[in-house]
Amino acid sequence: MTVRRDFKEPARCRPDQVIGREELFTAAREQLGRGGSVLLHGPAGIGKSTVLRALAEEYGGAARTVLRCSPTESESHLPFLALADLLGLVLDEVSERLPAAQRTSLEAALTGRGESTLQRDGLALRLAVLSTLRALADTGPVLVVADDLQWLDPASAELLGFAARRLGDTPVRMLFAVRTEGEEYDRHLRASPPDTLAVRLGPLSRAQMSALLDHRGYTGLPRSTVRDIHRTSGGNALFALELGRALAENPTPPRPGEPLPVPTSLRALVLNRLEMLSDQARRTLLVASAGARPTLALLHAAGRDDAEAETAQAAELGLLATEPEGPALRFAHPMISAALYAEAPAQERRAAHAALSTVASDPIERARHLALATTGTDPEVAARLAGAATLARDRGAPSVAAQLSLLAARHTPADGSPGPDVLRLTAVEDAITAGELDLARDIAREVLARTAVPAERVRAWIAVIETAGHAMTEVDSIFPQALADAGEDPELLALVHYQLTWRALLVEGDFDEAREEAGYAAELAARAGDRYTELLALALKAQIETLMGHADAPATIRRALEEPQDPRVACHHNGAGYSRFRWLIMSDQLPEARAAVTALLREVRRHGWVESEVHFLRGVAETELHSGHCGRALDLARESLRLARDTGIGEVASAVLTSLAEAAGGEVDRALALAREAVEHAEEVGDQMYVSRALAALGHAQLVAGDTEAAVRSLRRVREVEHGLGITDPARGRWHGDLAEALVRGGEFAEAQDVIDVTREHALRLDRESVLAVLDRAEALVRAARGEQEAALAQLTSAQYRLGKLGYGLEEARAAFALAQLRTAAAGPTSYDEAARLFRRCRALPWLRQVEAATATRPAEPAPAPVAVPDGLDGLASMERQVAALVMEGATNREIAARLFISVKTVEATLTRVYRKLGIRSRVDIVRLAAGRRTT
């Protein structure tokens, strides 16, 4: 496919933004950093020039000389033109250093004066280019940058290739980009050094394309629109941006079933070839472009009698290709199909759909074609579309069902039954199920603007609230309007009070109020005979009671699981099945929890319920993380995060879980970044529930990273937030052991013991065995810091055994690691083999790195022993008094760290606080202070 020069990616693209190419960019950057060369290749518009510019900008500063050329197709027949672009401006700098014959031939080639040709001055020209590059490299590194290498004139390509093959260790790097349309790129390597890294740029994923569109200013596009852009563009960055621009410039977005507006710029890429087709062949291709899976048999059935010959002609022009292993026809690029359809007159489009509406094999496809072939309202067409929507819903395609319901609403008369707004609300609910939140919100707002029917208005208000997700503060003003529309109707009131339950949780952070609202919603729904809402309200009440550590939680779960059940609730992420899963995982029944949530995930995937899929993916990942399967947990968490960001559903929750998974089995820096992002977003929307979850993830990542003080700050805030919320079940967030351990590392032994004692009381009441074992692990560290070595070792050994028995593989490994550290501190170097084995089994890479660091470091002193603290230091905290006392004894910072079982960094920070509180400047002043006190 030929792309004109004026369709290069816009100059406004910042070269430091290489969307979706991070891994490829890193590989190319490392290759250039090693002194190698890079050849970027891929189809037109895929983003080669963007990556080329970013790499050239990054490495251009390190090179003394940067040589650039960007040949064009129209200039490719002019010999030496690209060479003149590369060397023309530096010829004067090096010409005196070239042999006379080489200088003469090169000047003639670059200036056009004389009759230099490769046939006549071949060897002299070749050596001249090689000598020029070597001469430039003598004064510093050289970077040669060439875009659109496919248009390099043959003479320049030959000379550049000759030099490239002979440069050897000369500091000349080459960075090229070449367009390849399915053909091999090997021939272009002839112009590159032998060790050149070839990097292919393929299509962008949907998430990457969404990020690219956002970066270029095309923000707020509905997920369904992004999906259509991705499908139509085939993942091509340039095509996607042009489609995004066309949408931004079009005041009226396409209606359901209509194609995206294809801008004239992109139509021009294929129309010249389409014009070479006969009129009949164009009509045949139009029918193919309108069909979902066109085949020759389908085209024949649709009245295209000469389909074989016409499609063969299209294939010869590069417009169409037949699948090698099947009868289906495939356009060479989705953009060809889109441009063909966009160019066709509306009457011809309707004729194509009319032909397909009688011959398509799938009833959903037939109904869609019938709708697109019909203008105006038609009750029969509307009924067929509504039936097709039901079929799509049953097949697990809620997104398709939403589109069909919208088409049905368009063809339904105002007095139809069901009415058009009822069908629109059905589309809203399907769109929410499919994760199409923007589409659902827009349709709901449209319904509110046109209907006065209370039931329809309340359903629309509920949809607007649901699409807000955890950002319920943004829709707070809706609740009074929804209650007013509900009036005294118990069914409508139940819907509103169910949402008020979430408001009490997410906005107010009031568990008691939320529990009352959930109970009232269930009562109203039961009175109205609305079993669906009743079950949802009971399940939500059960989850609230579980978080509160309320004694009624098991009984409420049983009520929510009683028959009759509604199949829509059974696999809902707020249904009783998920409440049961949460109870199982908090009660240390990991195998049962895994089986329950895996079954739920399998079922929602079968139905296409994307919103629930995001939640259940997190549930499976959480179970694997507790079980110590860190690699599996990380893969699932990342998948959940990708889906959450793609749909806008549960982004904070998925970021929190992925942060924990990264800290366990991935990259700690990534864990920190995700946790900070989650904290910021949760605070921004006022979601106190997830403020605490995000802070707990941040504190954990900070602990793993060795930033003890930051971990203490974050986890203290979690304690404050959850105390304010009334969350008492320590199995909800499992941060308590981390806080106690961080406090021990910081020398705050009394506070650590207080955290342990308070948490243990709740864990004993609720029978949370794994939490109790983790608390014992933390308490052993407190005892060790106080010199109670035997008790600490015994308690750690017991904790490790119990955690292993319960199936908490990572926590078991952490206990083994702490045990090895204490034994080393008590009796000198010991083996870390058991801890390494357990961490390796879990694939806990960050923890394995800690084990490696520990085995490489021999402690300077034996285990921490009680420190005698002099009088006069009462104004200092516990750790500050102990550090000051050891300084008075003349201990170095490293010796203090070994004695107190803390890091040198913590000693230094503690001394800074001591200086400030005592009004002194250095450790010498502490020694003087001690001497003064001893003489008095």
Side-chain angles (χ1 to χ4, degrees):
M1 184 180 296
T2 300
V3 178
R4 299 204 316 264
R5 292 285 298 171
D6 56 341
F7 290 109
K8 290 290 182 184
E9 293 193 25
R12 61 179 173 166
C13 171
R14 289 168 48 198
D16 60 330
Q17 296 291 330
V18 188
I19 305 294
R21 309 297 189 191
E22 292 80 5
E23 291 186 12
L24 298 178
F25 186 81
T26 298
R29 182 171 55 191
E30 291 175 352
Q31 171 75 355
L32 291 169
R34 291 190 295 266
S37 296
V38 173
L39 175 70
L40 306 169
H41 65 100
I46 205 67
K48 302 180 299 299
S49 296
T50 301
V51 177
L52 182 94
R53 288 195 295 268
L55 289 167
E57 180 172 316
E58 181 163 340
Y59 282 93
R64 183 187 180 279
T65 305
V66 179
L67 308 175
R68 300 175 184 270
C69 73
S70 185
T72 65
E73 182 177 12
S74 61
E75 301 165 346
S76 60
H77 66 286
L78 299 175
F80 307 125
L81 191 60
L83 193 68
D85 289 341
L86 290 171
L87 302 181
L89 296 178
V90 298
L91 181 59
D92 291 343
E93 181 182 341
V94 299
S95 62
E96 295 302 323
R97 299 159 63 184
L98 300 180
Q102 294 181 23
R103 181 171 63 250
T104 301
S105 60
L106 185 58
E107 287 176 348
L110 298 186
T111 63
R113 294 191 294 269
E115 298 180 0
S116 180
T117 65
L118 278 178
Q119 289 74 23
R120 179 174 167 183
D121 304 308
L123 183 57
L125 267 175
R126 290 175 173 86
L127 292 175
V129 174
L130 178 59
S131 299
T132 299
L133 292 175
R134 285 174 174 166
L136 291 170
D138 286 343
T139 59
V142 177
L143 178 64
V144 181
V145 181
D147 199 1
D148 281 326
L149 198 66
Q150 72 278 0
W151 304 134
L152 204 66
D153 63 273
S156 296
E158 167 62 27
L159 293 169
L160 201 58
F162 177 86
R165 292 189 293 273
R166 290 163 176 80
L167 284 169
D169 295 332
T170 305
V172 176
R173 288 173 291 184
M174 296 188 175
L175 175 59
F176 298 155
V178 61
R179 181 187 307 171
T180 51
E181 294 287 353
E183 76 266 15
E184 295 295 327
Y185 61 88
D186 294 6
R187 64 186 181 88
H188 299 292
L189 287 172
R190 290 199 295 268
S192 309
D195 62 344
T196 296
L197 173 68
V199 178
R200 176 168 179 77
L201 276 67
L204 294 173
S205 69
R206 189 192 303 173
Q208 291 166 345
M209 183 161 289
S210 178
L212 175 65
L213 291 165
D214 286 345
H215 174 63
R216 297 297 179 85
Y218 305 124
T219 56
L221 293 173
R223 178 172 175 256
S224 56
T225 301
V226 174
R227 181 188 60 210
D228 290 342
I229 290 176
H230 183 259
R231 183 184 66 249
T232 303
S233 68
N236 185 290
L238 172 63
F239 296 169
L241 292 171
E242 288 293 304
L243 289 168
R245 181 180 59 78
L247 283 167
E249 294 174 353
N250 190 347
T252 305
R255 295 188 299 178
E258 290 183 345
L260 294 175
V262 180
T264 304
S265 58
L266 294 182
R267 295 188 199 184
L269 300 179
V270 296
L271 288 183
N272 59 339
R273 277 182 280 176
L274 286 172
E275 290 172 357
M276 299 173 67
L277 292 171
S278 65
D279 289 343
Q280 292 301 317
R282 281 187 62 142
R283 290 193 181 94
T284 295
L285 286 193
L286 177 60
V287 174
S289 70
R293 289 186 178 179
T295 63
L296 287 172
L298 181 70
L299 293 176
H300 276 296
R304 309 312 303 169
D305 297 335
D306 294 328
E308 286 90 349
E310 290 160 353
T311 55
Q313 181 188 5
E316 289 177 4
L317 292 171
L319 296 168
L320 199 64
T322 55
E323 294 288 352
E325 297 180 359
L329 299 171
R330 178 175 58 84
F331 283 90
H333 191 281
M335 187 59 66
I336 297 173
S337 174
L340 173 67
Y341 190 91
E343 189 70 12
Q347 184 177 354
E348 289 188 12
R349 290 188 207 170
R350 288 196 296 272
H353 288 296
L356 291 169
S357 67
T358 60
V359 299
S361 60
D362 186 84
I364 292 176
E365 188 69 10
R366 287 198 301 272
R368 174 180 166 274
H369 286 303
L370 180 62
L372 295 175
T374 305
T375 59
T377 60
D378 187 321
E380 183 181 345
V381 172
R384 285 184 59 179
L385 286 165
T390 300
L391 181 58
R393 198 175 301 119
D394 292 342
R395 287 183 181 179
S399 180
V400 175
Q403 298 292 338
L404 290 167
S405 292
L406 286 177
L407 287 170
R410 187 197 304 174
H411 291 287
T412 298
D415 58 351
S417 180
D421 285 329
V422 172
L423 290 167
R424 290 186 181 95
L425 289 169
T426 301
V428 166
E429 290 157 3
D430 283 327
I432 291 174
T433 300
E436 307 275 4
L437 301 187
D438 293 331
L439 175 64
R441 187 184 304 110
D442 291 344
I443 303 169
R445 292 286 188 187
E446 181 184 348
V447 170
L448 286 167
R450 68 168 70 225
T451 185
V453 179
E456 293 175 359
R457 291 186 62 79
V458 170
R459 283 178 66 187
W461 287 127
I462 296 301
V464 174
I465 293 169
E466 288 187 348
T467 57
H470 285 210
M472 295 197 78
T473 53
E474 298 177 3
V475 294
D476 211 27
S477 62
I478 285 177
F479 288 100
Q481 300 176 69
L483 285 169
D485 282 329
E488 300 297 323
D489 188 323
E491 184 174 4
L492 300 180
L493 284 170
L495 296 174
V496 181
H497 281 281
Y498 176 74
Q499 295 299 329
L500 283 168
T501 305
W502 286 106
R503 181 187 179 279
L505 281 176
L506 302 178
V507 179
E508 301 296 334
D510 189 330
F511 277 54
D512 290 323
E513 181 185 346
R515 181 171 177 266
E516 290 181 12
E517 286 285 3
Y520 186 45
E523 178 187 328
L524 287 167
R527 194 189 312 165
D530 181 2
R531 184 62 172 164
Y532 173 79
T533 304
E534 180 188 7
L535 289 172
L536 280 179
L538 286 171
L540 182 53
K541 184 183 179 186
Q543 288 196 48
I544 296 166
E545 290 173 344
T546 299
L547 293 173
M548 296 173 70
H550 200 286
D552 289 350
T556 306
I557 291 175
R558 285 194 293 272
R559 279 187 63 197
L561 290 170
E562 288 176 357
E563 296 294 340
Q565 285 290 312
D566 188 306
R568 296 171 296 167
V569 182
C571 295
H572 196 279
H573 55 277
N574 290 322
Y578 194 64
S579 297
R580 177 174 174 269
F581 159 72
R582 294 246 48 97
W583 178 262
L584 289 169
I585 201 167
M586 293 172 72
S587 302
D588 300 324
Q589 301 179 59
L590 296 182
E592 295 86 350
R594 180 187 291 107
V597 75
T598 301
L600 289 170
L601 178 62
R602 183 166 51 247
E603 191 65 14
V604 299
R605 280 178 165 168
R606 187 175 70 83
H607 287 286
W609 297 343
V610 177
E611 186 175 10
S612 293
E613 180 181 358
V614 174
H615 288 75
F616 296 154
L617 266 174
R618 285 201 306 271
V620 179
E622 182 182 354
T623 309
E624 298 295 351
L625 191 59
H626 286 319
S627 302
H629 305 148
C630 299
R632 172 71 172 152
L634 184 57
D635 290 342
L636 288 165
R638 286 173 174 170
E639 182 182 354
S640 169
L641 183 59
R642 282 193 298 270
L643 188 57
R645 285 179 169 166
D646 193 22
T647 59
I649 297 170
E651 292 182 69
V652 174
S654 292
V656 166
L657 184 65
T658 308
S659 172
L660 293 170
E662 291 282 358
E667 297 295 332
V668 179
D669 288 345
R670 177 71 174 150
L672 290 166
L674 284 168
R676 290 189 181 108
E677 172 190 321
V679 171
E680 180 180 353
H681 188 69
E683 289 178 335
E684 181 181 321
V685 301
D687 185 347
Q688 290 301 300
M689 288 271 290
Y690 269 96
V691 166
S692 72
R693 296 294 296 269
L695 283 169
L698 178 59
H700 177 74
Q702 289 164 335
L703 184 68
V704 176
D707 192 348
T708 301
E709 292 185 18
V712 168
R713 286 195 301 272
S714 298
L715 295 171
R716 276 175 175 162
R717 279 193 63 197
V718 178
R719 195 181 190 193
E720 293 169 4
V721 171
E722 294 205 351
H723 178 73
L725 291 173
I727 297 175
T728 60
D729 193 332
R732 183 252 184 181
R734 299 178 181 270
W735 49 265
H736 313 75
D738 283 345
L739 175 56
E741 182 176 334
L743 288 166
V744 171
R745 291 188 190 180
E748 302 292 343
F749 308 132
E751 185 181 350
Q753 190 63 54
D754 177 66
V755 170
I756 293 166
D757 291 342
V758 171
T759 308
R760 182 177 282 141
E761 181 181 346
H762 292 300
L764 285 169
R765 174 175 61 86
L766 297 167
D767 194 27
R768 302 300 192 227
E769 283 296 324
S770 62
V771 174
L772 290 168
V774 168
L775 292 174
D776 280 353
R777 185 184 68 204
E779 189 172 50
L781 301 179
V782 177
R783 288 182 169 179
R786 290 173 171 167
E788 303 171 23
Q789 295 300 310
E790 292 301 324
L793 291 170
Q795 195 169 17
L796 264 178
T797 302
S798 171
Q800 180 186 343
Y801 170 77
R802 287 151 55 205
L803 288 165
K805 187 175 180 181
L806 289 168
Y808 287 81
L810 182 57
E811 299 295 350
E812 176 193 7
R814 287 180 63 179
F817 186 31
L819 197 58
Q821 288 176 306
L822 285 192
R823 284 172 176 159
T824 297
T830 189
S831 173
Y832 284 85
D833 288 351
E834 173 70 359
R837 181 185 68 81
L838 292 174
F839 282 135
R840 197 173 294 111
R841 183 182 69 184
C842 294
R843 199 179 169 276
L845 303 182
W847 290 99
L848 271 172
R849 288 191 281 271
Q850 291 194 34
V851 171
E852 292 168 0
T855 55
T857 304
R858 181 188 297 270
E861 293 288 342
V867 178
V869 180
D871 296 334
L873 302 181
D874 297 336
L876 303 180
S878 171
M879 171 59 73
E880 294 166 353
R881 291 198 303 272
Q882 294 184 75
V883 170
L886 289 170
V887 169
M888 290 176 178
E889 294 177 8
T892 66
N893 286 0
R894 187 171 295 280
E895 290 168 341
I896 295 170
R899 179 83 177 272
L900 297 180
F901 198 54
I902 59 179
S903 68
V904 174
K905 182 179 178 181
T906 300
V907 174
E908 293 169 351
T910 304
L911 278 174
T912 300
R913 294 195 299 271
V914 169
Y915 300 154
R916 185 174 63 251
K917 290 182 178 181
L918 296 181
I920 59 180
R921 297 184 178 180
S922 69
R923 58 189 297 127
V924 175
D925 292 334
I926 295 180
V927 176
R928 288 173 180 164
L929 189 63
R933 286 185 178 141
R934 290 191 186 109
T935 59
T936 56

